[in-house]
Amino acid sequence: PNDVLVGWKKIGGILCESLGEDLGHSCVVGMGLNVNVIAKELEAFKDNFFGATSFSVETGSEAALLEVQETVLSKLFSLYQLYQADGFYPIQYLWEKNCGFVGKKIELRESGWRDVKLVRGDPGATVGTMVGIDDTGALVLSNAKGERRSYFTGEITCFWP
């Protein structure tokens, strides 16, 4: 999942695009954060599954954009250093520890179906419980029989909160 949630409201998002083996297993990461968006401007998203929020709404005060940028980049660099020193396992552990979707029932439609509107109960989707991510970073789902499968891409629909 690429949504960043606070109190089950979306405060940002992260997208990663793999550049493939030819470029040394590289990827481009894009991020967006709602920093100083006021509550009135977020009303347009109230009917979205998670709604929306911002730093200023959550804290009650405006944030300095440069300070937010520096903090985010510093945290990312620390995670990169952790990965360089200890490999992927600590990143996997942190991701699973902080992902609110782990242990929840979800529906996943694999890539190639992005033009189809996602609805709960979609017969072309895989339903399962999110287990976490594997050692390649792929999403792991467990079906009703307990069988596990990894997915590198797809669109997720939730059955909660």
Side-chain angles (χ1 to χ4, degrees), residues 137-156:
L139 179 76
V140 179
L141 287 184
S142 175
N143 65 18
K145 296 177 184 176
E147 300 165 331
R148 292 182 177 194
R149 182 172 169 207
S150 297
Y151 298 86
F152 285 99
T153 60
E155 298 288 331
I156 292 175

Side-chain angles (χ1 to χ4, degrees), residues 58-74:
E58 295 298 317
T59 63
S61 62
E62 210 171 273
L65 294 178
L66 188 56
E67 189 176 317
V68 171
Q69 177 185 351
E70 288 172 354
T71 300
V72 169
L73 291 174
S74 174

Side-chain angles (χ1 to χ4, degrees), residues 122-138:
D122 184 340
T126 300
V127 175
T129 300
M130 183 184 292
V131 175
I133 56 176
D134 66 18
D135 61 357
T136 68

Side-chain angles (χ1 to χ4, degrees), residues 4-12 33-40 42 50-63:
V4 178
L5 305 175
V6 171
W8 296 111
K9 291 184 241 170
K10 186 172 180 176
I11 198 167
L33 294 171
N34 297 332
V35 179
N36 292 321
V37 182
I38 61 173
K40 184 176 181 176
L42 297 169
F50 288 116
T53 192
S54 69
F55 281 98
S56 62
V57 168
E58 295 298 317
T59 63
S61 62
E62 210 171 273

Side-chain angles (χ1 to χ4, degrees), residues 92-122:
Q92 178 184 13
Y93 171 79
L94 288 169
W95 189 93
E96 289 177 343
K97 178 181 170 204
N98 289 288
C99 180
F101 291 76
V102 173
K104 305 284 189 195
K105 181 180 177 184
I106 63 168
E107 192 172 75
L108 181 132
R109 180 173 284 283
E110 293 182 72
S111 292
W113 295 91
R114 293 181 192 270
D115 58 336
V116 178
K117 183 174 176 10
L118 295 176
V119 294
R120 292 180 181 164
D122 184 340

